[in-house]
Amino acid sequence: MPERNAKGALRTSPPPRLALEMIDVNKWYGDYHALRDVNLNVAAGERIVVCGPSGSGKSTLIRCVNALEAHEGGRIVVEGVELSGDVRRIHEIRRETGMVFQQFNLFPHLTILENCALAPIHVLKTPRAEAERKAMAYLEKVRVADQAGKYPLQLSGGQQQRVAIARALCMSPKLMLFDEPTSALDPEMVKEVLDTMVELAEDGMTMVCVTHEMAFARQVADRVVFMDEGAIVEIDRPQAFFSGPRHPRARQFLGEIL
Ligand code: ADP
């Protein structure tokens, strides 16, 4: 029997599985209203680029998704699990989401291989040999396997960021969050990290990326989210967004950065 949706219309294909639902999400830092009624659904396999002026709430949005910041109003559901104050749910959601930061946040006293194998061993209880084998496979994928025995500070910024991506992948996340992953890099290293992210996108990873790299957005994003003053003011396909943004702030933003 074909399914019918809520309005009784025939559904020809099943609705996409949602990796992330943000429903009327609000967040304050003291008196400062940092997220205003944010609504965003991300389907499994979708690639979202979040852009907007500095201070518009992009980082706050992405940090709320894995509870690095607590949201105060609305609902956030990741892979079907709703974020609440319950720490078990927070752990569950963090297991499903990989996060890559602007500053690579690798442990400086651990080797590259140890950085990648640590969480699978201690959080997922993966046997060490298996965790290290998987870590080497991901280090190969991001092309830094030859650095596995070194310490983070012996690597270039671009290499460290690719290790950070491999480390996140070692947890087999369903959703990858990127918070300006290339902003701290020297210009010549930006491309190697973006290339890694493009490959990840081509592999079908669900991704939410805060970035100012608009060429990346054009190439990879299914939708571009534009934020201003804590609110999502425009969501569109990249082609439409870049050729004719509707919101005046989006037009101004693109005029300044393109
Ligand atoms: P973006 O990533 O778009 O640059 P952020 O999400 O980092 O913006 O910040 C949004 C606003 O919230 C900014 O005005 C910033 O100063 C403020 N903010 C961010 N983090 C904190 C914090 N921990 N405490 C107080 N204010 C914060």
Side-chain angles (χ1 to χ4, degrees), residues 29-30 32 34 52-61 69 179-180 210:
Y29 293 114
Y32 184 76
S54 180
S56 57
K58 308 179 297 293
S59 182
T60 302
L61 180 151
E69 294 287 353
D179 191 359
E180 299 205 30
V210 174

Side-chain angles (χ1 to χ4, degrees), residues 114 117 121-122 125-134:
E114 288 164 346
I121 291 171
H122 292 282
K125 310 295 179 204
T126 308
R128 176 175 297 275
E130 190 187 329
E132 290 187 349
R133 187 192 49 72
K134 192 170 173 185

Side-chain angles (χ1 to χ4, degrees), residues 11-29:
R11 198 182 255 157
T12 48
S13 58
R17 185 171 63 80
L18 289 179
L20 169 65
E21 294 170 81
M22 301 182 85
I23 305 151
D24 294 330
V25 172
N26 280 275
K27 157 117 196 122
W28 286 264
Y29 293 114

Side-chain angles (χ1 to χ4, degrees), residues 177-249:
L177 307 171
F178 292 86
D179 191 359
E180 299 205 30
T182 58
S183 302
L185 297 176
D186 291 334
E188 71 270 21
M189 291 170 192
V190 169
K191 185 174 179 305
E192 66 190 50
V193 171
L194 290 178
D195 285 349
T196 301
M197 292 169 64
V198 169
E199 281 174 27
L200 204 52
E202 285 168 352
D203 288 347
M205 177 61 77
T206 313
M207 297 163 70
V208 181
C209 312
V210 174
T211 181
H212 293 295
E213 297 293 337
M214 293 296 114
F216 171 79
R218 276 181 205 269
Q219 184 182 353
V220 161
D222 295 302
R223 289 184 295 157
V224 177
V225 168
F226 178 78
M227 294 188 71
D228 189 36
E229 297 184 349
I232 293 178
V233 296
E234 190 157 339
I235 304 183
D236 220 332
R237 305 248 163 227
Q239 206 184 1
F241 180 73
F242 290 113
S243 60
R246 283 165 282 137
H247 197 280
R249 283 294 285 132

Side-chain angles (χ1 to χ4, degrees), residues 148-174:
K150 291 190 182 167
Y151 290 88
L153 294 177
Q154 295 175 296
L155 271 59
S156 72
Q159 288 174 322
Q160 287 186 63
Q161 193 59 300
R162 284 184 282 142
V163 172
I165 294 172
R167 179 177 63 170
L169 294 175
C170 283
M171 291 293 283
S172 306
K174 295 206 177 102

Side-chain angles (χ1 to χ4, degrees), residues 109-146:
H109 59 292
L110 298 180
T111 65
I112 297 309
L113 183 62
E114 288 164 346
N115 262 280
C116 291
L118 186 73
I121 291 171
H122 292 282
V123 180
L124 303 182
K125 310 295 179 204
T126 308
R128 176 175 297 275
E130 190 187 329
E132 290 187 349
R133 187 192 49 72
K134 192 170 173 185
M136 283 307 293
Y138 280 118
L139 289 170
E140 258 158 44
K141 189 172 169 58
V142 303
R143 289 185 275 278
V144 281
D146 52 338

